[in-house]
């Protein structure tokens, strides 16, 4: 009898479209939903599906991910047999390269699959928000004798441009695979959740490794397997959100505070595990006014919070307003300040009477208009915004800036504030 | 070496009659507190912050919730090869098998375990107190004075001053007398229930076959009388014994005051506890939350004022929770009102039900413990739809809708399950 008990999570990507959120951390380590990091969803899906042997392939800025995962306690993955392991690029006798792509990362760590004598392996992405029991997927894969099975979800056709679109026949076998097509034929897209038969995957990886390709599962491996044989589509109903862009990140967070959230975080049958930070419960002060928001422990709210997500240890002082925003851990919003349609990274300090995200001017961001044009202003980790600063929309403010780095005048919409721009001024 | 070898012994086995339904299912040390903790977390966190990593907890009464809570001691970093945490429950032996007959007897029955630790000092603590204290200072003062026993002292809270033991001490700290639960209350400092004994001396006293079972009456008072080196050491800051409904309630309400006298948010002295795997709190569109502590996994759609909500509590739209404590996974249905209520775990308060604050007749059966207007609803009970419960009512554990004689429950009533097997 064959079964699937080993999962590899791809968590090495750059995530450049997430702007400065992923400047200092890998995309799967980006904070999400008040207390989680994005990878928690894939990891929790694994353990809730009974898979307790997980390798995480990391490359880009793995430190925060490594600290988050630790020895895997939060997921019950601190085990003698199995458990969780971070697979960072390494120097060996012969192979001494950085991972050239997702497929190459798995290829370079193939010994991990081999030593388990795994006949099948689950390959997941670490940057999606969803709940999924992988067992029915695996059952379908085994029952149909597929070489690979791809979980697919249905999204609006016009949004399918950024994904891998799947074309299937009547029996569910995949006939074609279009990665990020200009004109998507349907909204049936790959979720980045795959089961592979090891004996089919390895030759494909090896062949790909010897060619000049992006070494990508979606672009290279799956199309080659589709050509060669039996790749099954498995339709997964339910919420699935790729956190690829700042807009999708923002939307997925704010979806959580809708009165009918499409993705409730608190499902006791399928808990999302994460290491809890040591904080007391959230405290609401005398003048607190909070609506439609997620408030995490350690937060102290004395001001107004509307349609926002506050991470642990956030302080909103009296007379301050946080609206339609995401405020990450241990940030401070000073008295009388307004934060509107903004993402504040960890430990951002917003001085008294600041206005972050102000006005009707929606000039897209100068340096990345393609990712920062919907009105979101973003402030990087640990930056201190001086008292009374007014900041427009679509503004990007780098991490670790101090009061002296800020101009005295209003920061106009679309502006980029970095230490270099200040120095040049 | 910075600190002499110390073994902490936490007394957590007592049955707290005065807590009624809250204390029936658990010992006072395991009482949920502050929206996320159990009372014993304060003592355990004090231990580890003070660098004491050898902790034995003496349990006897209803130890299961404590056992589940403490586990192997991970949240406190007490899962260790050397030392760490251990629960000492009474056990059967070849001769003289007995339950712990008192605090001194509990120590006596564990004398081998205590002796094996080869500690120079024994730090004897109570698990049912809320306070922060660096025991290192206490132990240093104990060493410097070469004391046989050092008693931490504190100023008594204003409620129930007769519950405490008043310490008579000289200017230099030497204790001349200890007046336990005096008939006539007087001023001065009281024993905080925190003791450091020179291990050899305590063990010698415990070995006396004529010894009585109580640590204060049969060990500490005789030590003072006989002129042993007993000193007082002041504990500054907040200290509360939560062994009664009133003191538990008032101490919890202290946390939601505009400037709380006890800071849970001190980053240098965090209170550790096992965090539950729950989502963050969700505050809904129509919610109003003021002056409250809200644990994770809660969902608030209604009005919450000056209250503490534990993990998983649901307050539906149109419900109003005021001056109340609502424990894990309780649900307050739409239109219901809680006023000065303590609602234990998994209680369901039905729609349009009203609990508390109608008038103020003391409880008929327990006038001493329930007379300040607090209602207590025991674990797993329900308050039926549209029921009205007066102040000072006590709803026992596991009371169902059928157990209510009517929907109008006068103040001071006690409701128990009808089909309960008499104790």
């Amino acid at each position: 009898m064959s079964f699937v008990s080993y999962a590899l999570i791809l968590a090495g990507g750059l995530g450049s479209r997430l702007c400065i959120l992923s400047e200092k951390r890998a995309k799967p380590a980006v904070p999400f939903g008040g207390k989680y990091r994005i990878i928690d969803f894939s990891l929790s899906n694994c353990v809730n599906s009974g898979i307790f042997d997980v390798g995480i392939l990391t490359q880009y800025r793995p430190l925060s991910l490594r600290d988050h995962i630790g020895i895997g306690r939060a997921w019950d993955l601190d085990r003698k047999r199995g458990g969780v392991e971070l697979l960072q690029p390494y120097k060996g006798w012969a192979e001494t390269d950085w991972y050239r792509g997702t497929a190459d990362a798995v290829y370079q760590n193939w010994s991990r699959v081999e030593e388990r004598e795994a006949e099948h392996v689950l390959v997941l992405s670490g940057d999606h928000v969803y709940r999924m029991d992988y067992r029915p997927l695996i059952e379908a894969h085994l029952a149909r004798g597929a070489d690979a099975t791809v979980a697919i979800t249905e999204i609006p056709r016009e949004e399918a441009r950024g994904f891998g679109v799947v074309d299937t026949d009547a029996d569910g076998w995949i006939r074609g695979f279009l990665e990020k097509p200009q004109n998507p034929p349907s909204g049936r897209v790959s979720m980045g959740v795959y089961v592979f038969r090891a004996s089919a995957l390895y030759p494909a990886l090896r062949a790909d490794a010897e060619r000049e390709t992006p070494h990508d599962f979606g672009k290279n491996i799956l199309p080659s397997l589709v050509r060669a044989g039996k790749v099954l589509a498995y339709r997964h109903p339910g919420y699935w959100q790729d956190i690829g862009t700042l807009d999708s990140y923002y939307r997925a967070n704010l979806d959580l505070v809708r009165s009918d959230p499409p993705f409730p975080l608190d499902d006791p049958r399928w808990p999302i595990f994460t290491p809890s930070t040591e904080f007391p419960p959230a405290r609401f002060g005398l003048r607190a006014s909070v609506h439609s928001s997620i408030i995490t422990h350690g937060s102290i709210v004395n001001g107004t919070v509307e349609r926002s997500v506050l991470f642990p240890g956030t302080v909103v002082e009296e007379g301050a307003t946080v609206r339609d925003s995401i405020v990450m851990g241990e940030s401070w919003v000073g008295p009388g300040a307004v934060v509107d349609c903004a993402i504040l990274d960890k430990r951002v300090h917003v001085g008294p009477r600041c206005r972050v995200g102000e006005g009707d001017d929606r000039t897209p961001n100068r340096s990345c208009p393609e990712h920062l044009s919907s009105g979101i202003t973003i402030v990087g980790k640990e930056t201190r915004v001086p008292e009374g600063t007014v900041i427009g929309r679509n503004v990007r403010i780098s991490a670790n800036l101090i009061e002296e780095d800020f101009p005295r005048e209003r920061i106009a919409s679309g502006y980029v504030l970095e230490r270099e721009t200040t120095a040049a001024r | 070496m910075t600190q002499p070898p110390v073994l902490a012994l936490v007394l957590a086995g007592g049955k707290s009659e005065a807590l009624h339904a809250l204390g029936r299912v658990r010992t006072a040390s395991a009482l949920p507190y502050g929206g996320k903790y159990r009372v014993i977390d304060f003592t355990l966190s004090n231990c580890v912050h003070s660098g004491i990593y050898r902790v034995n907890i003496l349990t006897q009464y209803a130890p299961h919730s404590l056992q589940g809570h403490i586990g192997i001691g991970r949240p406190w970093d007490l899962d260790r090869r050397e030392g760490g945490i251990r629960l000492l429950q009474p056990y059967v032996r070849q001769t003289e098998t007995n339950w712990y007959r008192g605090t001194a007897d509990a120590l006596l029955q564990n004398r081998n375990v205590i002796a094996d630790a080869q500690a120079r000092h024994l730090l004897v603590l109570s698990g049912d107190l809320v306070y922060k204290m660096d025991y290192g200072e206490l132990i240093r003062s104990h060493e410097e004075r070469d004391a046989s026993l050092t008693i931490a002292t504190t100023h008594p809270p204003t409620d129930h001053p007769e519950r405490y033991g008043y310490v008579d001490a000289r200017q230099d700290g030497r204790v001349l007398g200890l007046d336990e639960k005096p008939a006539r209350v007087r001023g001065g400092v009281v024993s905080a229930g925190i003791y450091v004994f020179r291990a050899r001396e305590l063990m010698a006293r415990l070995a006396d076959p004529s010894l009585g079972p109580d640590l204060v009456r049969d060990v500490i008072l005789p030590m003072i009388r006989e002129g042993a080196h007993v000193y007082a050491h002041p504990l500054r800051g907040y200290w509360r014994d939560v062994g009664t409904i009133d003191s538990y309630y008032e101490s919890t309400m202290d946390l939601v005051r505009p400037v709380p006298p006890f800071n849970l948010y001190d980053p240098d002295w965090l209170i550790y506890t096992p965090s539950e795997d729950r989502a963050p709190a969700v505050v809904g569109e129509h919610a109003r939350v003021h002056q409250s502590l809200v644990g994770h996994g809660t969902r608030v759609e209604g009005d919450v004022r000056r209250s503490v909500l534990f993990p998983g509590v649901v307050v539906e739209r149109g419900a109003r929770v005021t001056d109340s404590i609502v424990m894990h996974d309780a649900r307050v249905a739409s239109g219901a009102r809680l006023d000065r209520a303590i609602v234990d775990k998994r209680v369901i308060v039905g729609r349009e039900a009203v609990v508390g604050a109608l008038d103020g007749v003391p409880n008929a059966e327990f006038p001493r413990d329930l007379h300040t207007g607090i209602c207590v609803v025991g674990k797993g009970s329900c308050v039926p739809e549209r029921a009205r419960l007066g102040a000072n009512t006590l709803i026992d554990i596991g009371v169902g809708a059928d157990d209510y004689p009517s929907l109008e429950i006068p103040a001071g009533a006690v409701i128990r399950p009808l089909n309960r097997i008499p104790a």
Side-chain angles (χ1 to χ4, degrees):
Chain A
M1 199 197 111
S2 56
F3 56 94
V4 182
S5 62
Y6 187 48
L8 287 166
I9 300 182
L10 309 170
L14 199 66
S16 56
R17 290 178 299 159
L18 276 183
C19 196
I20 52 179
L21 288 184
S22 51
E23 192 176 71
K24 304 217 164 183
R25 47 172 95 86
K27 195 157 67 164
V30 170
F32 183 86
K35 74 182 266 194
Y36 307 96
R37 305 222 181 206
I38 296 170
I39 198 168
D40 293 342
F41 296 94
S42 300
L43 274 177
S44 301
N45 285 340
C46 280
V47 298
N48 286 333
S49 301
I51 294 165
F52 287 95
D53 192 5
V54 182
I56 300 179
L57 296 150
T58 60
Q59 169 153 286
Y60 174 76
R61 294 227 180 237
L63 301 187
S64 60
L65 196 60
R66 193 191 58 194
D67 289 350
H68 178 70
I69 289 177
I71 58 168
R73 246 184 207 177
W75 303 270
D76 249 350
L77 286 171
D78 52 331
R79 306 200 151 217
K80 199 163 71 157
R81 300 184 57 180
V84 65
E85 184 183 31
L86 262 66
L87 301 170
Q88 187 64 11
Y90 59 94
K91 278 200 138 180
W93 189 252
E95 316 100 86
T96 58
D97 247 327
W98 295 107
Y99 299 153
R100 292 171 296 172
T102 51
D104 188 48
V106 172
Y107 179 63
Q108 289 201 37
N109 286 287
W110 191 255
S111 62
R112 285 287 182 270
V113 179
E114 258 176 355
E115 69 198 21
R116 283 167 174 77
E117 296 177 12
E119 286 180 35
H120 302 268
V121 59
L122 191 63
V123 176
L124 310 168
S125 299
D127 48 8
H128 295 151
V129 174
Y130 64 115
R131 274 197 177 85
M132 182 174 181
D133 188 342
Y134 299 130
R135 286 168 293 196
L137 164 78
I138 291 164
E139 278 161 25
H141 172 80
L142 298 178
R144 302 284 296 274
D147 283 344
T149 302
V150 180
I152 58 167
T153 186
E154 197 89 36
I155 62 169
R157 195 159 65 96
E158 58 276 19
E159 287 174 29
R161 258 182 226 122
F163 300 95
V165 178
V166 172
D167 176 26
T168 58
D169 69 13
D171 294 329
W173 297 103
I174 296 180
R175 292 291 158 237
F177 204 84
L178 293 163
E179 186 68 15
K180 300 195 172 95
Q182 262 314 311
N183 237 330
S186 77
R188 294 150 70 81
V189 300
S190 161
M191 295 169 62
V193 172
Y194 318 109
V195 203
F196 292 101
R197 180 195 300 281
S199 60
L201 177 59
Y202 183 69
L205 291 175
R206 196 180 48 197
D208 176 72
E210 280 156 15
R211 285 198 295 267
E212 277 302 317
T213 75
H215 306 287
D216 185 78
F217 267 97
K219 289 195 190 88
N220 309 108
I221 303 302
L222 282 167
S224 79
L225 286 173
V226 166
R227 277 195 300 276
K230 300 166 79 181
V231 179
L232 188 69
Y234 171 85
R235 195 170 170 277
H236 172 69
Y239 187 87
W240 175 82
Q241 180 70 54
D242 168 66
I243 306 295
T245 65
L246 210 52
D247 281 339
S248 65
Y249 174 76
Y250 178 79
R251 200 174 50 232
N253 271 282
L254 289 214
D255 270 354
L256 299 170
V257 300
R258 276 166 43 182
S259 55
D260 55 334
F263 186 73
L265 287 171
D266 53 347
D267 182 347
R269 292 162 306 174
W270 203 267
I272 307 302
F273 302 105
T274 194
S276 260
T277 39
E278 294 290 345
F279 273 118
R283 180 179 165 82
F284 293 69
L286 193 61
R287 313 235 181 276
S289 169
V290 182
H291 305 279
S292 307
S293 295
I294 282 182
I295 311 289
T296 311
H297 48 244
S299 295
I300 302 179
V301 181
N302 268 314
T304 301
V305 179
E306 292 170 357
R307 292 178 304 279
S308 295
V309 178
L310 303 193
F311 283 73
T314 301
V315 178
V316 179
E317 294 286 4
E318 205 171 308
T321 299
V322 175
R323 198 186 298 125
D324 296 308
S325 293
I326 300 165
V327 183
M328 294 189 195
E330 293 166 68
S331 289
W332 184 78
V333 181
V338 178
V339 174
D340 183 51
C341 194
I343 300 173
L344 309 183
D345 206 327
K346 277 176 133 178
R347 289 190 286 278
V348 165
H349 184 99
V350 177
R353 290 177 302 287
C354 283
R355 301 173 75 82
V356 178
E358 201 252 6
D360 298 328
D361 176 6
R362 290 180 174 264
T363 309
N365 190 269
R366 289 178 193 179
S367 78
C368 45
E370 66 280 20
H371 308 316
L372 208 49
S373 62
S374 61
I376 302 166
T377 282
I378 180 164
V379 183
K381 202 167 161 181
E382 287 169 15
T383 280
R384 298 176 65 87
V385 183
E387 182 170 348
T389 307
V390 179
I391 301 170
R393 312 233 178 236
N394 296 321
V395 173
R396 192 184 85 196
I397 293 176
S398 281
N400 300 106
L401 298 190
I402 54 170
E403 278 89 343
E404 286 71 38
D405 294 322
F406 280 79
R408 274 173 203 281
E409 65 272 21
R410 183 179 190 279
I411 298 173
S413 293
Y415 199 79
V416 177
L417 189 68
E418 290 167 336
R419 188 148 291 154
E420 293 76 32
T421 56
T422 322
R425 217 163 32 94
Chain B
M1 198 173 77
T2 54
Q3 223 177 56
V6 174
L7 174 69
L9 296 156
V10 183
L11 305 171
K15 180 176 176 182
S16 301
E17 306 273 3
L19 288 170
H20 297 281
L22 301 176
R24 268 252 310 288
V25 282
R26 51 177 90 86
T27 176
S29 304
L31 203 56
Y33 183 85
K36 135 167 215 180
Y37 309 96
R38 297 201 183 236
V39 175
I40 200 168
D41 293 340
F42 294 89
T43 299
L44 295 180
S45 301
N46 286 340
C47 281
V48 298
H49 285 305
S50 306
I52 295 167
Y53 289 99
R54 290 198 292 176
V55 182
N56 287 346
I57 303 178
L58 293 106
T59 58
Q60 170 156 290
Y61 180 75
H64 297 108
S65 53
L66 207 55
Q67 250 165 28
H69 178 71
I70 288 170
I72 58 168
R74 254 181 197 176
W76 305 274
D77 251 346
L78 286 170
D79 51 330
R80 306 197 152 223
R81 196 168 51 85
E82 291 274 352
I85 206 159
R86 183 156 49 170
L87 266 66
L88 300 174
Q89 184 69 7
Y91 58 94
V92 174
R93 55 192 91 204
Q94 282 187 334
T95 55
E96 47 139 19
T97 293
N98 240 320
W99 295 106
Y100 299 151
R101 284 161 298 190
T103 44
D105 188 48
L107 296 175
L108 174 65
Q109 290 201 31
N110 288 292
R111 60 187 178 276
N112 294 339
V113 176
I114 297 169
D116 285 348
Q118 298 192 328
R120 187 165 356 146
H121 301 298
L122 299 175
L123 178 62
V124 180
L125 306 167
S126 301
D128 55 358
L129 302 174
V130 173
Y131 66 107
K132 287 182 210 173
M133 184 178 195
D134 184 349
Y135 301 131
E137 277 175 37
L138 172 73
I139 290 156
R140 271 193 294 283
S141 121
H142 176 76
E143 285 241 305
E144 276 161 23
R145 289 153 153 175
D146 196 23
S148 303
L149 162 63
T150 302
I151 303 174
T153 57
T154 180
H155 290 279
T158 46
D159 64 309
H160 296 292
E162 74 286 353
R163 293 170 53 214
Y164 305 100
Y166 289 78
V167 175
D168 241 338
R170 281 194 327 221
Q171 199 69 33
D172 66 347
R174 181 69 182 263
V175 173
L176 304 172
L178 173 62
D179 200 358
E180 263 295 291
K181 300 182 175 133
R184 211 164 54 84
V185 175
R186 56 206 182 90
V189 292
V190 300
S191 163
I194 300 159
Y195 314 103
V196 197
F197 289 92
R198 192 183 292 157
R200 225 175 333 107
E201 206 151 330
L202 178 60
M203 298 315 282
R205 281 187 180 265
L206 292 176
D208 177 357
S210 66
L211 181 83
D214 187 71
L215 186 67
V216 175
R217 193 188 63 214
D218 302 312
V219 176
I220 295 175
L221 290 180
M223 282 177 85
I224 297 170
R225 268 201 307 275
E226 290 158 24
H229 281 240
V230 180
Y231 281 87
H233 177 84
L235 156 62
R236 292 189 177 80
Y238 191 84
W239 176 92
R240 289 291 184 277
D241 171 348
V242 294
T244 65
I245 290 172
D246 272 350
S247 61
Y248 171 69
Y249 177 82
E250 290 304 330
S251 167
T252 301
M253 288 300 129
D254 281 345
L255 298 174
V256 300
R257 280 163 43 181
V259 182
F262 188 76
N263 182 11
L264 291 172
Y265 297 78
D266 178 359
D268 298 327
W269 206 275
L270 282 174
I271 308 304
Y272 301 118
T273 195
S275 265
E276 301 188 37
D277 287 305
R278 303 204 195 218
V282 177
V283 179
E285 201 181 334
H286 305 282
R288 289 214 294 221
V289 188
H290 300 282
Q291 272 191 281
S292 296
L293 296 187
V294 177
H296 39 220
T298 54
R299 181 163 197 102
V300 182
E301 302 284 353
D303 236 42
V304 178
R305 275 154 210 265
R306 293 183 303 277
S307 295
V308 174
L309 309 186
F310 283 80
V313 167
V314 177
V315 179
E316 291 182 4
R317 191 171 169 186
R320 208 167 79 196
V321 176
T322 315
D323 296 309
S324 293
I325 300 167
V326 187
M327 294 185 193
H328 309 65
D329 300 308
R331 173 179 285 266
V332 185
S334 66
R337 273 167 48 193
L338 295 184
D339 208 330
R340 274 179 92 78
I342 303 175
V343 170
D344 209 323
K345 290 183 171 185
R346 292 194 288 282
V347 163
I348 309 260
V349 179
R351 283 160 35 155
E352 314 283 338
V354 177
V355 178
L358 293 183
D359 43 44
V361 190
N363 189 274
E365 291 181 40
F366 312 107
R368 208 182 113 88
D369 296 330
L370 268 175
H371 63 90
T372 57
I374 298 165
C375 283
V376 174
V377 184
K379 191 169 170 180
S381 284
C382 95
V383 178
E385 270 183 36
R386 278 184 280 283
R388 298 167 67 84
L389 274 57
N392 299 315
T393 49
L394 172 62
I395 311 298
D396 205 351
I397 294 152
V399 174
D402 299 344
D403 299 326
Y404 283 76
S406 81
L407 292 182
E408 287 290 330
I409 303 299
V414 178
I415 312 256
R416 297 191 172 86
L418 292 172
N419 55 357
R420 198 166 117 222
I421 302 151

